[in-house]
Amino acid sequence: RPIRQAKNPIPEYTVTAAVIWRNSQVLIAKRPPQGLLGGLWEFPGGKIEPHESPEECLRRELLEELGVKIIILRSLDQVIHSYPAFTIMLYPFICAIAEGKITPNEHAAVKWMSPRNLPSSLKSDGCSPTPTLPGTNGNWPSRKRPPPSRSVA
């Protein structure tokens, strides 16, 4: 019998993403050209540190990456997505900017965009989580903003 080599386990990361709304558009950020998934557009967010809740992570990441404090309006259902080299557990949140001017400290660019016109890296193509996130019933939130929560970073 041939001897099978043990496969290395696929790394798993727990991450957050902010779906930030303004005037019927969402904020997207372009990853830097160097590095993993370089040049692709994403919803801003990042990896959850061992001592953090998803909400704490998102507030920290948005302050570091974009220089803004956010209001978390509501959470969406978690998404598990497998890439060829790793798997993510994504905690998405509907957010609004509470204070600060958007400054892309770690991204190549940021822009506001209608959900209908999102770039292919954010569409359901088998390689990226779909922007029609579970918990939204296939619909993006209405133009009216829900009352702000008290969780401000």
Side-chain angles (χ1 to χ4, degrees):
R1 291 185 163 172
I3 299 172
R4 292 186 180 185
Q5 288 184 326
K7 291 184 179 179
N8 290 333
I10 295 176
E12 296 178 4
Y13 302 106
T14 307
V15 300
T16 59
V19 181
I20 301 172
W21 283 90
R22 183 185 78 182
N23 301 326
S24 301
Q25 295 186 318
V26 292
L27 182 71
I28 58 174
K30 190 172 189 178
R31 296 176 69 90
Q34 69 283 1
L36 188 63
L37 305 175
L40 295 180
W41 290 92
E42 66 181 3
F43 293 110
K47 291 181 189 171
I48 299 174
E49 299 293 335
H51 64 281
E52 290 180 312
S53 70
E55 294 85 353
E56 291 167 334
C57 169
L58 195 59
R59 288 184 192 102
R60 175 184 54 78
E61 289 284 353
L62 274 281
L63 192 56
E64 289 173 4
E65 293 180 1
L66 300 176
V68 295
K69 292 184 177 183
I70 57 166
I71 297 170
I72 296 175
L73 300 171
R74 70 179 168 113
S75 63
L76 299 172
D77 292 342
Q78 297 148 10
V79 177
I80 297 173
H81 183 76
S82 295
Y83 292 89
F86 60 93
T87 298
I88 62 168
M89 166 65 86
L90 174 68
Y91 287 83
F93 294 90
I94 301 292
C95 302
I97 294 174
E99 68 181 75
K101 181 182 176 201
I102 297 170
T103 305
N105 298 318
E106 297 180 17
H107 290 92
V110 293
K111 66 180 170 180
W112 294 97
M113 183 165 260
S114 164
R116 286 189 232 4
N117 299 324
L118 287 172
S120 61
S121 62
L122 286 172
K123 293 188 177 166
S124 182
D125 60 5
C127 295
S128 303
T130 173
T132 307
L133 297 168
T136 62
N137 298 323
N139 298 311
W140 290 83
S142 68
R143 292 180 187 176
K144 293 181 181 177
R145 288 171 57 187
S149 73
R150 294 188 181 136
S151 53
V152 177

